[in-house]
Amino acid sequence: MEAKLLPQTYRTPFSTVLAPRRHRVRIIKPERSCVVAVLARPAETRNAKPKQLERKAEVVQKTVYNDSWFDQIAINHLSQSVQDATGIKNNKGGYEGMVEATKAVLRNFDQAQQRAIVIQALERAFPRPILTMVRAVLPESKLAREFFAVFTTIFFAWLVGPCEVRESEVNGKTEKNVVHIKKCRFLEESNCVGMCTNLCKMPSQTFIKDSLGMPVNMVPNFDDMSCEMTFGQEPLASSDDPAFKQPCYKLCKESRRHTLKCST
């Protein structure tokens, strides 16, 4: 905030004071200038766009979730799968416990190990025979791409938050193969760019491609915490992916582990 000094001329309301009739005294206060301090936004902040202000201040209203019994079972199952893969247990339950399990991965393993452990946890969570059957029944096609998009919005909202199907162009034709995550629950809860890229984006892309034969490109937006998953689209190499060039949030709880460049 900036303090601006504004000149102001005024006359006191008590310029004339009346005494009793027999001793009436006329007191005249001369007009004078005073200075009033006014707080104003700095010019840079005044002219910034709303999105820039939000990213700069990093003031985010946390979403409150009311998990159903199905959501709770799924969350605890994945949390337990991550803990089994690392051998590191925690006593927290629900989504908080799952995020705590992934933080243990970040704190105790290097980048390559982190991705391998998450893939191992996903393989524990989703039985291989079921994935193999899905891959055989749904080879890559328009039907498969649109099916996976719809399936994700219905059965994985407990993991990533509310999402919807959107369209994209594939080989000159329009398909409903994009999942738009309005505000990623995992990114919001972890508040860490590195956890998003190394413990969600990269291992998920690899797991879906290897287990289901379906390439998917996940593009997080670290300004509004949204994300888009495009089924049928090959992801960029990490060296070319803009997501790996993003600094982490100033309020990242894991800053002692990775400083600002937590994604590298």
Side-chain angles (χ1 to χ4, degrees):
M1 306 292 283
E2 296 177 344
K4 292 186 176 180
L5 302 180
L6 302 179
Q8 181 176 358
T9 302
Y10 73 95
R11 180 187 295 273
T12 174
F14 303 104
S15 297
T16 303
V17 179
L18 296 179
R21 183 178 182 85
R22 297 175 62 181
H23 304 282
R24 179 173 296 179
V25 179
R26 182 178 178 83
I27 302 175
I28 301 177
K29 295 282 186 178
E31 292 185 355
R32 61 180 180 176
S33 298
C34 72
V35 176
V36 178
V38 179
L39 291 178
R41 292 181 181 271
E44 177 186 356
T45 306
R46 278 201 309 271
N47 299 329
K49 297 179 181 179
K51 182 184 291 187
Q52 294 173 329
L53 289 178
E54 181 180 356
R55 181 66 188 271
K56 185 174 182 179
E58 296 192 26
V59 177
V60 181
Q61 183 176 1
K62 193 171 182 180
T63 307
V64 177
Y65 290 89
N66 296 315
D67 295 314
S68 66
W69 62 269
F70 172 81
D71 298 335
Q72 294 173 11
I73 291 175
I75 291 168
N76 290 328
H77 177 60
L78 183 56
S79 175
Q80 191 61 50
S81 297
V82 175
Q83 294 177 53
D84 291 343
T86 60
I88 303 174
K89 303 294 183 180
N90 70 70
N91 296 322
K92 297 180 179 180
Y95 206 90
E96 183 182 6
M98 190 194 72
V99 173
E100 185 62 31
T102 57
K103 287 182 178 180
V105 179
L106 181 74
R107 294 165 182 163
N108 294 281
F109 302 93
D110 62 34
Q111 188 181 92
Q113 292 173 326
Q114 291 169 19
R115 298 176 186 179
I117 288 172
V118 173
I119 291 174
Q120 182 182 349
L122 293 173
E123 290 174 344
R124 288 173 178 268
F126 304 100
R128 174 65 63 176
I130 295 179
L131 298 175
T132 302
M133 181 182 67
V134 173
R135 180 171 183 168
V137 174
L138 289 171
E140 187 180 353
S141 61
K142 177 182 178 181
L143 174 63
R145 291 188 288 269
E146 294 186 340
F147 172 81
F148 286 130
V150 173
F151 187 88
T152 301
T153 60
I154 296 175
F155 292 102
F156 285 93
W158 57 268
L159 178 61
V160 298
C163 44
E164 62 185 12
V165 175
R166 291 188 176 181
E167 296 179 343
S168 75
E169 188 174 294
V170 180
N171 298 325
K173 296 181 180 180
T174 300
E175 292 185 7
K176 296 181 178 180
N177 64 323
V178 179
V179 175
H180 177 75
I181 302 168
K182 300 178 181 178
K183 188 176 185 181
C184 180
R185 184 178 185 179
F186 182 72
L187 179 57
E188 180 182 19
E189 187 68 29
S190 64
N191 201 37
C192 177
V193 171
M195 290 183 67
C196 167
T197 54
N198 293 324
L199 303 180
C200 179
K201 172 182 164 63
M202 295 301 290
S204 295
Q205 289 175 166
T206 301
F207 175 76
I208 294 172
K209 175 67 179 293
D210 293 347
S211 61
L212 298 173
M214 176 64 66
V216 60
N217 185 24
M218 300 176 67
V219 182
N221 183 328
F222 296 114
D223 287 325
D224 60 8
M225 294 188 171
S226 66
C227 183
E228 285 200 343
M229 302 174 62
T230 304
F231 288 96
Q233 184 179 87
E234 292 287 350
L236 296 172
S238 58
S239 58
D240 299 325
D241 197 324
F244 288 89
K245 297 177 174 61
Q246 293 286 336
C248 201
Y249 298 109
K250 293 180 180 179
L251 300 181
C252 174
K253 300 174 184 177
E254 300 302 313
S255 58
R256 289 177 297 178
R257 170 68 174 82
H258 56 57
T259 67
L260 289 179
K261 296 183 179 180
C262 58
S263 58
T264 57

